[in-house]
């Protein structure tokens, strides 16, 4: 399991290509591993509607490939 817990803001900015090239490359490496997201991030990410259905498809694939972490004290803090 990777060492990063990815937040929905990172996901939405990444798929909207709002980060610098250096940051996009860094996040790409994390995403190429099996990413970790919380169940709340899963819900938030899947509620994102994008007019570009291809990006929406990538997001759904990203979520399905992720480790979904249920809420526990370690995730909350």
């Amino acid at each position: 399991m990777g060492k990063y817990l990815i937040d929905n803001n990172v996901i939405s900015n990444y798929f909207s290509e709002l980060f610098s090239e250096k940051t996009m490359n860094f996040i790409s490496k994390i995403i190429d591993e099996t990413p970790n997201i919380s169940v709340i991030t899963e819900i938030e990410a899947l509620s994102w509607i994008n007019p570009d259905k291809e990006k929406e498809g990538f997001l759904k694939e990203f979520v399905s490939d992720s480790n979904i972490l249920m809420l526990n004290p370690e995730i909350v803090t």
Side-chain angles (χ1 to χ4, degrees):
M1 186 184 311
K3 61 183 177 179
Y4 296 101
L5 179 62
I6 302 172
D7 179 79
N8 190 56
N9 291 326
V10 171
I11 295 168
S12 62
N13 287 343
Y14 176 79
F15 284 100
S16 296
E17 300 176 18
L18 297 177
F19 290 121
S20 69
E21 182 179 349
K22 182 178 179 180
T23 303
M24 291 293 289
N25 290 336
F26 176 75
I27 295 170
S28 289
K29 290 177 186 175
I30 294 168
I31 289 175
D32 285 344
E33 298 174 7
T34 302
N36 298 309
I37 63 174
S38 74
V39 66
I40 292 174
T41 300
E42 175 188 24
I43 293 166
E44 291 172 336
L46 292 177
S47 70
W48 186 53
I49 298 170
N50 190 304
D52 183 339
K53 295 304 175 193
E54 185 176 8
K55 283 186 182 179
E56 202 171 293
F58 288 140
L59 180 63
K60 288 178 181 178
E61 185 177 328
F62 165 81
V63 170
S64 71
D65 290 344
S66 296
N67 288 318
I68 310 298
L69 305 175
M70 296 298 127
L71 294 180
N72 63 43
E74 289 178 8
I75 297 297
V76 173
T77 57

